[in-house]
Amino acid sequence: MENKNGAKNIYKPAFKDFALKDVKLLDEYYASLTQKDVDFLNTFNPDKLLYNFRLTAGWTKEEIQDGRFDYAKNGNIATSSYSGWENTRIGGHTLGHYLTAAAQAIAQGLGGCKGDDGITLDKRVDYLLEGILDCQKKNDELCAKNQNRHRGFIFGATMADPQQPELQFDKVESTNASDTWVPWYTIHKLMNGFVETYKLTGKKAALEIAENLGEWIYTRTARWDDNLKYRVLGIEYGGMNDCVYELYKCAAATGYVQSEHFLQAAHKFDEERLYEKINSGVSKETGTIKAGIDLLNNRHANTTIPKYIGALNRYITLQGKDGSDKYLEYVENFWDLVVNHHTYITGGNSECEHFGRDDILDAERSNCNCETCNTHNMLKITRELFKITGNKKYADYYENTFMNAIMASVNGETGMTTYFQPMASGCFKNFCNPDVNKNYFWCCTGTGLENFTKLGDSFYFYNNGDTPAGSEATLVANQFVSSSVYWEEKGVTLVQKSGIPQTDKTSFTIKSGKADGTSFTLMIRVPDWIAGKPVLKINGTDDNTAITDGYLKITRNWKNNDTIELTLPMNIVPYTLADNKGTVFAFKYGPVVLAAELGKDKAMTLRQVGVQCDVAANKIIFGKLMNLNGNYGGTSGLPVLEGETICTNGVPVEKFMNDINEHLVRVDGSNSANGTSNGDNLAFELRDTDWETRDDGDTPHKPLIFSPYYKLNDQRYGIYWLFSEKQNNESGILDSKRAARDTRVYLDGIGVGYGAQTEGNAKTYPCMEEKRTGSVGDPNALTRYAKKGGSFSYLFQVEPGKKNYLVCGFLMEDDGKTICIKCGKVIIAEFILDSAAQISKSAEAVIKAAGEKQSSTSSSEKYFMRFELPQKAVKTAKKFDGKNVIRISFSGKNDDESARIVSPAKTCTEYSHNAGIESLNINGTKAEVLPNGNLKATAPKNAAFIKLNVKLNDGNGLLYINDKLVDDSKEISIPVTTNPLLLGLKIYAEDHETAVEKSLLINMQ
Ligand SMILES: [Zn+2]
C-alpha cells in the first residue's frame, strides 16, 4: 500500500498542527468546559498528589507530615494521598495526567488562574516538579544503601514493602504478577506528563525529571531478552513506547548526550508480535484488513490502542527509515479494523473495557460500553494519521468521535467526566465526583482532565507549501466550532463563527495586517455527513470551487476581512449495526448523534463494576426496569426489554428508514432536555410508530423526543432502538421475565480471570486463593483454570435456609477436560466436559438460567451450567463483610489440568414454583372461581373487547392465553369473537417449568 504522500519510507507529513496558544475557543460552551477543567485542577492539593511519591522516595510518614511540605504555606499539611485508585497499586497515575492537563492549560495562557488557596495553576505545576525532583534526589541518595533502589526511580503507588520500592516492577518481570496492577501503565502517565509539560511550557525541571526517569527505564529494560520483554508486555503498559520516543526527541534536540538510551528503551515497548498478528488479517488481494477473523476479540481495548500510538511515534521519530515504514502500515490497518468493525455510532468502542468479535456490537450493548480512555487514545492516533497522510477519513472520524464521545463525556454543569458511556438504551451516564477528596481517580478521570484543556488542538492544520499535499501554503479547517486560529508564518488569523449543528451554516473571516493581502490555499473539509452539495459564498458572491479529495480548496490572495459563508446541508441519517442489520438503528443529524430523552427517575442508582467504577445499576424502558447485575466480564448480552422494539405500524422498516426525515421531524426543542438546560433547541419527534399509541397508564403519554446525545447528561437515554414492521412481543416478554427472575434470585457474581481487582486477594472480597493456575494477568481472556495439581477458590455469597445454586460458564473447546467443584470436602460437581451433551440435555434451563442472552455467534463458544449447592456446604456459611459466604474451589479431576471457568461465576437462590393465578378481573370485576378451579365471568352484551387484569402467583411467571404469551403486567384487551367466549389459560411458575391450565368462560349479557 502506498500513502498519498508516496512511499512510506520517504517521510513527508502532509500537515502540521498549530500550537495550542494559537487556537482560541470562541464557542462559549467549549470555553466554559476548559475553564471548569482548570478550576477543578486548582482544587488539588499538590502535597496530596506527591504524598505516596515521597513515601516511595524514602521519607517516613512522620517526616512528610512534620511541616516541611506545605505547598500553600498555610499549615494545611497533607496526611495522606488522595483516595480511590490513588490509594492503590495504580496510585500516582493522576499526577501524570494532572501535569499534562495543566501544561495544556498553561500553554493557552490559563496558568494565572488561581484556586481558593490563592495559588495559581502555574505555581502548582512548579511545586509538583520541584517535589518530584526532590523525590529523585532522595531516592538517589538512598541507592547506595539499598540495592533494591535504582537511580532516577519515582513512583506514587501504595507500597507493599518499603524496603522494595520497585517490587511491582520486579514482580511483572517474574512469573508471579499478583498484586501489582499495571506499574508500567502508571510510568507511562507520569513520563507523558513530564515530557508534555516540558514541550508545552518549556519548564526545564520537567525535562530533567524525564531524563532521570528515562535512564532508570533504560537500565531496567536493557537487560530484557525477548522472553522477558513479552512477559512484561503481557501486562498493560499504556503507551510507554510513545512517551519514551517523545523523550528521545526532546533530549536529542537539547543535546543530551545519552539520548540514544531513550531510543533503545522506547523500542523495548514496541510489540512487533502483536503488530504482525493483527496485520496477518490484511488480505493479499485487496491490501486491506479483513473482518470476521476476530483478531481483536477479548483484547483489553485501552491496553491495545496506546501500543499503536507508540508504533506510530516510531514511524514519526525514525521518519520512515530503518524499517519504521512498516509501523505506519500497522497503525493504518489497526485503525481501519477498530473504526470499521468495533465502533459504535458515537465513535466509541469496547464492552467492559474489551473488544469483542468483529462486527458484534448490538449483542454487546450494555451499561459498560465505550470507555472514555479508548476514544481519547483513538483520537491521538487519528490526528497523527491525518497529519501524516492528509486523508480526510481521519478528519471525519475525528469530528464524529470528538463531538459524540469526548464532548459527550463531560457534564456541562460540573465539568466532571465519564468512565463508560452505555449503549444499552434506558441507562444513563455517570460522572466522577467533583469533590477532589471524594473522587475515585479512575483512568478516565485522568484522561478526562487532559481532554478539556486541549479542545481546539485538532480544529486546524497547516503546511508551508513544502509537502506533497501541495506547493501552495495551506490552512486546513477540519472542524466546525466557533474558534480562531493564528497562523504565525503568514501573519493571518482565521475566525470561524459556526451555527452547526443548530443551523447548517458556518462562516470564516480572514484577519490580515498586510494591505496587499496574503496568498495561500484555504482547505475546508466537506464532512461525510453532508446531505447534498455545499454552498459557498466568498465576500457575498457565489463560488463554485470544486471538491477535491473531500475538501473545498480555495487558493487566492486573501485580504483583510475577506469572508466565506458556507452552508453544509444536513438531515437525519439512520445507522444500523452489522450483527442486527436492518433491525437496530441509531440516528445522526449532521455531525451529532441523537438520543431519545427518557427522563429522570428515582431508580437512577449506581453499582460498582470492577474497581470502584460505578455504573448505571439498571435500565428502564417504557416503565419496565431491568437490574444490571453483571460483574466485570459479565455485563454484556443483555435481554431486550419489550418497550425497546418500536413498531412502524405496518410500514416495512427499510422503507421507514429510507423516509426517516418524514418520521423523525424537527420540532421546537425549547422544552426538551437540552432546551431547558443549555438554551439549545435542536430536537426531533419520532412519528408514525406504535410509540404514539402506547398506553402509559395514568400519566399523559409523551412522544419520543430525540436530541443531541452529547448534551444529554442527567437523564436516561436511548441511542439505539429496535424497529419492527409488526408487533411481535412474545420474545420481548420472555426476555424481560427471564431477566427479572434472574435479578430476583441473584446473590453474587465474580469476575473470574481478571486479576486482583475482581478476584480479590487475601483481604479483599472475594478473597481468591490460588496455586498453579492460569490466566493470571492475561488481559486477553477472562477465564481461569487450574494447572496440573493446582486449584483456585473464592468466597461466594449464599443464603442459608434456601436452595442455592452456582452458575458458571465453560468453553466448548475445552471438551474432554475435567472440572471438580468443591466446598471443603463436599463435591458440588465433578465431570468431563461434553458441551454437546450438556447443552442438549437442558440448553434452555442451562443457558437461560444464567440470565445470559448469548449473541448468536458467541453461543457457539461458551455455555453456562447451574449446580445446586448441597445443604451440607451451605450450612458451613460464615460472615464476611456482612454477607454469608462459603468458599468454593475449582480444580481438575485427579489433579489434572482443569477446564477453564468463564467470567462471571455467580450464585443465586432457586426460582419459585408457585404456578397459578392470584386474581383475575374482567372489566374491573373479579371472576368467579368454580370448584374445579376454572374461571367464569360476565361482560356487557355488544362489547367489542373485554379487558382482563391478571395477577399471577409468581410475578415472574408466564401467562399464555389461547397459546399466546401475553404481558400480564398490563391490561390485556381481547376481542369478543363468540358468545360465550371460552379462553384457555396456561400459567407457568417463575421456574417457567411448573404449569397449571385453566379455562375462562365469559358470558356476554
Ligand atoms: Zn479509562
Side-chain angles (χ1 to χ4, degrees), residues 185 302 353 371-374 419 442-445 447:
Y185 169 94
N302 197 43
E353 303 188 354
E371 182 184 351
T372 311
C373 290
N374 303 359
Y419 195 119
W442 306 319
C443 48
C444 295
T445 308
T447 41

Side-chain angles (χ1 to χ4, degrees), residues 566-749:
L566 182 62
T567 305
L568 298 167
M570 43 177 109
N571 61 8
I572 303 268
V573 179
Y575 289 75
T576 189
L577 292 170
D579 57 333
N580 201 0
K581 220 172 184 166
T583 298
V584 69
F585 287 96
F587 306 98
K588 271 178 77 176
Y589 178 72
V592 290
V593 170
L594 301 178
E597 302 177 354
L598 299 178
K600 285 189 210 188
D601 55 69
K602 291 207 174 81
M604 285 169 69
T605 53
L606 300 169
R607 64 182 295 271
Q608 293 199 334
V609 166
V611 189
Q612 297 172 326
C613 167
D614 35 22
V615 298
N618 52 53
K619 60 181 235 172
I620 294 185
I621 301 273
F622 210 78
K624 280 272 179 67
L625 181 144
M626 184 194 296
N627 281 315
L628 305 174
N629 287 328
N631 258 322
Y632 199 97
T635 47
S636 73
L638 298 180
V640 173
L641 284 172
E642 190 193 342
E644 284 178 70
T645 302
I646 294 175
C647 172
T648 54
N649 294 341
V651 175
V653 174
E654 194 182 345
K655 180 172 167 36
F656 189 89
M657 292 304 157
N658 283 338
D659 303 334
I660 190 67
N661 284 280
E662 293 165 25
H663 305 302
L664 195 51
V665 181
R666 188 159 183 181
V667 291
D668 173 14
S670 47
N671 289 324
S672 74
N674 291 337
T676 49
S677 62
N678 299 302
D680 297 338
N681 65 3
L682 195 59
F684 300 84
E685 187 178 306
L686 185 67
R687 294 177 184 169
D688 314 315
T689 73
D690 73 320
W691 190 277
E692 294 154 75
T693 51
R694 284 186 192 181
D695 190 352
D696 274 11
D698 295 338
T699 53
H701 185 74
K702 284 193 207 124
L704 207 50
I705 298 291
F706 286 75
S707 62
Y709 164 67
Y710 77 100
K711 283 188 175 174
L712 217 48
N713 287 335
D714 53 0
Q715 63 168 300
R716 294 182 191 273
Y717 61 84
I719 294 177
Y720 285 99
W721 295 87
L722 306 175
F723 286 82
S724 147
E725 182 179 341
K726 296 197 185 85
Q727 268 165 334
N728 173 14
N729 295 336
E730 289 205 28
S731 63
I733 296 169
L734 205 52
D735 280 342
S736 54
K737 292 275 190 178
R738 283 172 179 154
R741 68 177 185 165
D742 286 329
T743 296
R744 193 187 72 77
V745 300
Y746 176 91
L747 289 173
D748 199 4

